[in-house]
Every structure is written in C-alpha cells, then in structure tokens.
Amino acid sequence: MSLTIEKTQKLIEGLRVIVVDDVEDSRDVLQMYLTQKQAEVKSVSSAKEALQALESFQARLIISDIYMPDKDGYWLIEQLHTKYSNRIPAIALTAAAKQEDRDRLIAAGYEGYLSKPFLFEDLTMLITQIISKSSQN
C-alpha cells in the first residue's frame, strides 16, 4: 500500500499514543516528534504506568521499549491482550536486532517493531501502516 504524505499526516493527526520508555530522553524525543505530527501523546516510564494511563487516556496505539526494569515490554503486551478485548495495536522499540528477537516480538503480539537506533521516517511509515490496517478491521 502506498501512502502519500498527506494521507500519512491525516492518519497521525489526533492519534492518541502512549509512549513507554524508562529512559527520559528517549520518551521526550518520541513525544516531541509525535506531537509535531499532531498526535496526542502520553508518555510514561514503565509498563505498569502504561496500563494505568490506559484507564483515562484512550490510546489507539502504544509504542513501547522492550527492555525496562521491573516489568518489560513482553509483560506489557501480555497484559494488554489479557485486559483489553479490543486490542490496542503496539509497536516495540528494541536494541535487540537478531531475527529470533524479531520473531519473538511478533509472536508476543506486537504489530511491528523497530531496532534502535531508528529513523523517524521508518517510525512514521510503521505507524501509518498499522493504523490504516486497524482502521480497516
């Protein structure tokens, strides 16, 4: 599917996103980028906080780091599938780039992933692919 810049912007505009990362700088950069794209962003520092945020912030997408202290991104995706019957699409951000890591992320339930460091253009395309796909369902 080919998306124009205009269609891509329309899909992200107003999109409610929860960004989950234990590294403050990473959260801030993602929030700033998505906000510039006119998304509504809630950023949190842990998987537990992400679940709490979902109680009041009705996100249509979650972007989560995988390796965090306490509860990791695998725990988060498991909780999302358990607690929310209308699955919220999720993108994993990870430093792990081996094929078996990628396979594990998809098997766990992430709709997409990006290996760190990544290009914002790649994130934008992944978001729009996932959101346009979930809108069709």
Side-chain angles (χ1 to χ4, degrees), residues 112-126:
Y113 60 87
L114 289 172
S115 297
K116 295 178 183 180
F118 57 86
L119 299 173
F120 282 119
E121 294 81 13
D122 292 339
L123 176 62
T124 300
M125 287 310 299
L126 186 55

Side-chain angles (χ1 to χ4, degrees), residues 4 21 37 40 58-59 71 81 86 88-89 108 118 128 132 136:
T4 65
D21 200 315
K37 294 284 187 186
E40 294 180 42
Q58 295 179 340
K71 304 293 184 187
H81 291 172
N86 62 331
I88 301 165
F118 57 86
T128 56
S132 63
Q136 293 171 359

Side-chain angles (χ1 to χ4, degrees), residues 15-121:
L15 181 66
R16 295 174 68 88
V17 182
I18 293 179
V19 172
V20 188
D21 200 315
D22 60 310
V23 178
E24 185 176 7
D25 289 344
S26 296
R27 279 193 320 271
D28 290 349
V29 168
L30 274 171
Q31 181 167 5
M32 185 173 53
Y33 176 73
L34 292 168
T35 301
Q36 287 174 346
K37 294 284 187 186
Q38 300 179 358
E40 294 180 42
V41 183
K42 172 85 174 167
S43 65
V44 297
S45 62
S46 72
K48 287 181 180 180
E49 285 182 48
L51 291 178
Q52 291 170 344
L54 281 169
E55 293 174 16
S56 60
F57 186 82
Q58 295 179 340
R60 286 199 48 224
L61 179 69
I62 294 177
I63 300 174
S64 180
D65 185 28
I66 294 300
Y67 298 107
M68 298 178 283
D70 192 24
K71 304 293 184 187
D72 64 14
Y74 290 108
W75 179 86
L76 175 60
I77 198 77
E78 180 181 307
Q79 295 303 305
L80 288 172
H81 291 172
T82 300
K83 293 184 180 208
Y84 295 93
S85 56
N86 62 331
R87 259 182 71 211
I88 301 165
I91 294 173
L93 303 178
T94 180
K98 295 181 199 163
Q99 187 61 46
E100 56 265 21
D101 298 315
R102 295 171 184 172
D103 293 345
R104 183 176 174 210
L105 290 168
I106 298 303
Y110 282 96
E111 280 72 23
Y113 60 87
L114 289 172
S115 297
K116 295 178 183 180
F118 57 86
L119 299 173
F120 282 119
E121 294 81 13

